[in-house]
Amino acid sequence: EVQLVESGGGLVQPGGSLRLSCAASGFTFSSYGLHWVRQAPGKGLEYVSAISSNGVTTYYTNSVKGRFSISRDNSKNTMFLQMGSLRVEDTAVYYCARDFAAAAVTKFDYWGQGALVTVSS
Amino acid sequence: DIQMTQSPSSLSASVGDRVTITCRASQTISNYLNWYQQKPGKAPKLLIYAASSLQSGVPSRFSGSGSGTDFTLTINSLQPEDFATYYCQQTYNSPLTFGQGTRLEIK
């Protein structure tokens, strides 16, 4: 069974840092790209960041560029999101999602349960 | 960035109804369009990919259509478990943007 489990969320002050983890099981981790998507309280889904299966290619949405860093450890089946210079507007549930990319189809076919990050003084 | 606009933002319907949700892209995206369902406190669930392909395990009352800039999600014979929020997502290029969501409520 495919599982993605986020951890590392919590309360942090503005300007602070936090590292989220996404632990995967039930599939060949090193064969799949992964994404982070966030959802502010009562709001819609916002695409945040992505990493290729080998970790070489990354992407960041403009609002987090220079502040967030995505990485992965394929030996530990885990992806990370290092978040720095956090702002109140970064408060959200952060989801990791698996990217089933094949034959020009990209779809987020499995999602974690989410990790809540609250940025507040 | 490609903007995705869903309509309506909210919708009331009854069990057994047929409903249609529309998603429009700010530029052509071919068929690079996915639909997700999200229930309160839960992660999104993939329903439709590549505009019209049904994800494995998703009931056949869900269907998608469209290409270019205009897409629709149709739910036939609404079931109680279908009341949720629905999002479209373009996967044509990064950032892989989502629509603002359509909340489907019980009438």
Side-chain angles (χ1 to χ4, degrees):
Chain A
E1 179 193 6
V2 172
Q3 282 197 316
L4 297 169
V5 179
E6 301 94 339
S7 60
L11 174 64
V12 61
Q13 292 187 336
S17 299
L18 208 59
R19 188 176 84 155
L20 299 182
S21 299
C22 173
S25 60
F27 64 99
T28 304
F29 184 74
S30 59
S31 296
Y32 291 84
L34 296 163
H35 304 264
W36 289 99
V37 176
R38 67 184 179 184
Q39 187 169 38
K43 303 297 184 182
L45 302 171
E46 180 187 16
Y47 185 71
V48 175
S49 185
I51 189 166
S52 60
S53 58
N54 61 8
V56 171
T57 303
T58 60
Y59 174 85
Y60 303 93
T61 199
N62 284 340
S63 62
V64 308
K65 208 171 290 184
R67 301 188 299 122
F68 289 12
S69 177
I70 191 171
S71 61
R72 63 191 294 163
D73 185 340
N74 284 351
S75 69
K76 296 183 178 178
N77 291 355
T78 304
M79 174 178 67
F80 306 97
L81 186 67
Q82 180 69 46
M83 303 183 293
S85 301
L86 281 162
R87 305 168 180 168
V88 171
E89 55 265 34
D90 294 318
T91 294
V93 174
Y94 285 72
Y95 295 100
C96 62
R98 188 180 83 163
D99 181 348
F100 180 93
V105 171
T106 293
K107 56 182 180 178
F108 295 3
D109 60 348
Y110 286 94
W111 296 64
Q113 85 288 352
L116 176 62
V117 173
T118 303
V119 184
S120 174
S121 55
Chain B
D1 297 1
I2 298 175
Q3 307 302 315
M4 306 300 294
T5 303
Q6 290 181 230
S7 61
S9 295
S10 64
L11 175 61
S12 294
S14 301
V15 173
D17 284 354
R18 178 175 184 260
V19 300
T20 298
I21 298 169
T22 297
C23 179
R24 174 165 289 176
S26 60
Q27 67 182 73
T28 185
I29 58 171
S30 184
N31 69 334
Y32 293 90
L33 192 284
N34 300 332
W35 289 98
Y36 300 87
Q37 176 194 66
Q38 187 181 33
K39 297 182 179 179
K42 301 294 186 181
K45 172 187 174 183
L46 177 67
L47 300 175
I48 301 287
Y49 65 94
S52 60
S53 295
L54 191 68
Q55 176 69 3
S56 176
V58 174
S60 59
R61 63 180 179 273
F62 292 92
S63 64
S65 65
S67 184
T69 60
D70 294 315
F71 303 86
T72 59
L73 172 70
T74 300
I75 312 171
N76 286 302
S77 187
L78 271 174
Q79 298 301 298
E81 61 268 28
D82 298 337
F83 292 94
T85 300
Y86 293 84
Y87 294 92
C88 61
Q89 178 201 30
Q90 65 82 18
T91 60
Y92 185 76
N93 62 21
S94 291
L96 306 185
T97 42
F98 293 89
Q100 82 279 14
T102 295
R103 184 175 178 183
L104 177 56
E105 300 174 316
I106 300 174
K107 185 182 289 184

